């Protein structure tokens, strides 16, 4: 988690609430609800992205040893949320655990949100080597995801819109591929989106994730959001390419061949 981003994204949300004239008391959306929601979205993104970051660490340019703890402290929150964060979650000026990634070493060690483990406890916790890409939630209604070279950003609008975790994994894998392939520094590469789609299937395959279900879910999602249920030609073309990348990756897997590069 990148602290500055989190503060900014929560601030955007609060501004959104106030711009709409939504007094939390009138809408029933309390500051506690906002915090709970933000945390739940972060946990989902952490849980879905983690297998991709672990399984593909050998092809990322930078890695980090991850124990699964995500920290927070008071200064991470915008000023108007600080009193709520303090009373609701006991957030203080020293760091405590925001959340623990499900299935991580810290989770296995029994650590929980709100804990303040000592250094000796932390030293005992194992780690996994993962790609050093922060995966962040930007709290805006716009449906979007993008890569910055060393981060993957997904909006809360997209997280609410895409309910299927396999499809979400495909979206995150596509953005991760832009980072792995260095596209942010070379945006003029031809077929950049095709390359990222093809790589996304490979990264999912390496993580043992069901990319066929992800593609099906994408197709259903696009179908249901298309005008009159008719997929645009570009989307039809993209789905067809996804299916062909899926076929070639499955064929490699069945022959026991490496799916990357
Ligand atoms: Zn892309």
């Amino acid at each position: 988690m990148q602290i500055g981003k989190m503060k900014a994204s929560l601030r955007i949300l609060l501004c959104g609430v106030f711009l709409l004239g939504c007094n939390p008391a009138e809408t029933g959306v309390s500051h506690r609800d906002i915090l709970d929601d933000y945390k739940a979205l972060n946990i989902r993104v952490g849980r879905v992205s983690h297998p991709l970051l672990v399984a593909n660490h050998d092809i990322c340019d930078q890695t980090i040893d991850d124990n699964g703890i995500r920290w927070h402290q008071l200064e991470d929150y915008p000023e108007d949320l600080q009193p709520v964060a303090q009373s609701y979650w006991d957030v203080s000026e020293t760091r405590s655990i925001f959340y623990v990634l499900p299935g991580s070493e810290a989770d296995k060690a029994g650590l929980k949100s709100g804990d303040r483990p000592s250094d000796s406890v932390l030293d005992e916790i194992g780690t996994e080597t993962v790609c050093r890409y922060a995966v962040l939630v930007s709290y805006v209604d716009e449906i979007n995801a993008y890569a910055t070279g060393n981060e993957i950003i997904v909006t809360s609008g997209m997280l609410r819109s895409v309910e299927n975790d396999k499809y979400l994994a495909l979206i995150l894998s596509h953005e991760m591929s832009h980072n792995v392939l260095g596209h942010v520094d070379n945006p003029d590469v031809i077929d950049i989106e095709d390359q990222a789609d093809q790589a996304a299937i490979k990264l999912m395959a390496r993580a043992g994730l069901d990319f066929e279900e992800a593609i099906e879910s994408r197709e259903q999602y696009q179908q249901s959001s298309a005008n009159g249920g008719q997929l645009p030609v570009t989307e039809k073309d993209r789905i067809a390419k996804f299916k062909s990348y899926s076929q070639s990756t499955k064929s490699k897997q069945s022959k026991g061949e490496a799916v990357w590069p």
Side-chain angles (χ1 to χ4, degrees):
M1 149 127 3
Q2 210 181 60
I3 284 163
K5 277 272 161 48
M6 176 177 170
K7 198 186 277 186
S9 47
L10 272 171
R11 189 166 289 140
I12 288 165
L13 172 77
L14 283 179
C15 291
V17 169
F18 294 136
L19 278 174
L20 290 169
C22 305
N23 184 327
E26 285 167 13
T27 57
V29 180
S30 69
H31 285 170
R32 285 187 177 199
D33 292 338
I34 292 168
L35 290 178
D36 280 339
D37 188 47
Y38 188 71
K39 185 173 175 177
L41 294 180
N42 271 280
I43 292 175
R44 182 179 178 214
V45 162
R47 175 170 53 73
V48 173
S49 63
H50 191 67
L52 291 164
L53 298 173
V54 173
N56 295 297
H57 76 264
D58 57 322
I59 55 172
C60 291
D61 52 346
Q62 282 190 63
T63 60
I64 189 170
D65 293 328
D66 184 13
N67 59 16
I69 297 178
R70 302 296 177 262
W71 301 96
H72 65 171
Q73 55 190 17
L74 211 50
E75 66 169 23
D76 300 344
Y77 293 85
E79 261 173 40
D80 33 6
L81 269 184
Q82 286 185 4
V84 191
Q86 206 164 9
S87 63
Y88 187 35
W89 284 340
D90 188 29
V91 181
S92 73
E93 270 143 26
T94 59
R95 69 179 190 175
S96 59
I97 296 182
F98 178 36
Y99 72 90
V100 172
L101 211 57
S104 66
E105 294 298 317
D107 189 22
K108 288 175 200 162
L111 291 178
K112 301 255 182 298
S113 294
D115 286 354
R116 291 183 166 78
S118 65
D119 287 347
S120 60
V121 168
L122 290 174
D123 288 346
E124 294 291 308
I125 299 171
T127 57
E128 289 172 289
T129 306
V130 302
C131 294
R132 193 178 194 145
Y133 299 140
V135 188
L136 307 168
V137 177
S138 167
Y139 223 120
V140 289
D141 286 339
E142 181 198 355
I143 298 174
N144 198 11
Y146 51 97
T148 65
N150 53 15
E151 295 166 332
I152 298 159
I153 321 282
V154 56
T155 66
S156 54
M158 174 152 264
L159 293 170
R160 288 186 218 292
S161 178
V162 172
E163 289 172 4
N164 183 292
D165 279 352
K166 302 283 170 26
Y167 180 23
L168 176 60
L170 179 61
I171 291 163
L172 297 175
S173 193
H174 172 102
E175 298 310 328
M176 185 172 161
S177 297
H178 281 313
N179 287 347
V180 169
L181 298 171
H183 286 165
V184 176
D185 296 328
N186 302 285
D188 296 331
V189 174
I190 302 165
D191 291 341
I192 217 167
E193 294 307 313
D194 260 2
Q195 283 186 22
D197 281 348
Q198 191 167 13
I201 298 299
K202 294 176 180 179
L203 300 193
M204 283 189 76
R206 299 177 98 229
L209 298 175
D210 188 343
F211 47 87
E212 289 184 296
E213 187 192 321
I215 296 167
E216 260 172 51
S217 176
R218 180 191 168 93
E219 197 170 2
Q220 283 165 12
Y221 174 92
Q222 296 292 342
Q223 197 94 49
S224 65
S225 45
N227 250 342
Q230 270 293 54
L231 283 180
V233 176
T234 49
E235 179 56 28
K236 269 190 192 159
D237 183 44
R238 196 167 173 192
I239 292 278
K241 280 184 179 166
F242 262 130
K243 287 181 179 171
S244 100
Y245 301 145
S246 162
Q247 279 304 326
S248 56
T249 299
K250 276 185 68 182
S251 148
K252 279 186 180 177
Q253 281 180 314
S254 67
K255 289 185 224 156
E257 292 171 11
V259 299
W260 188 271

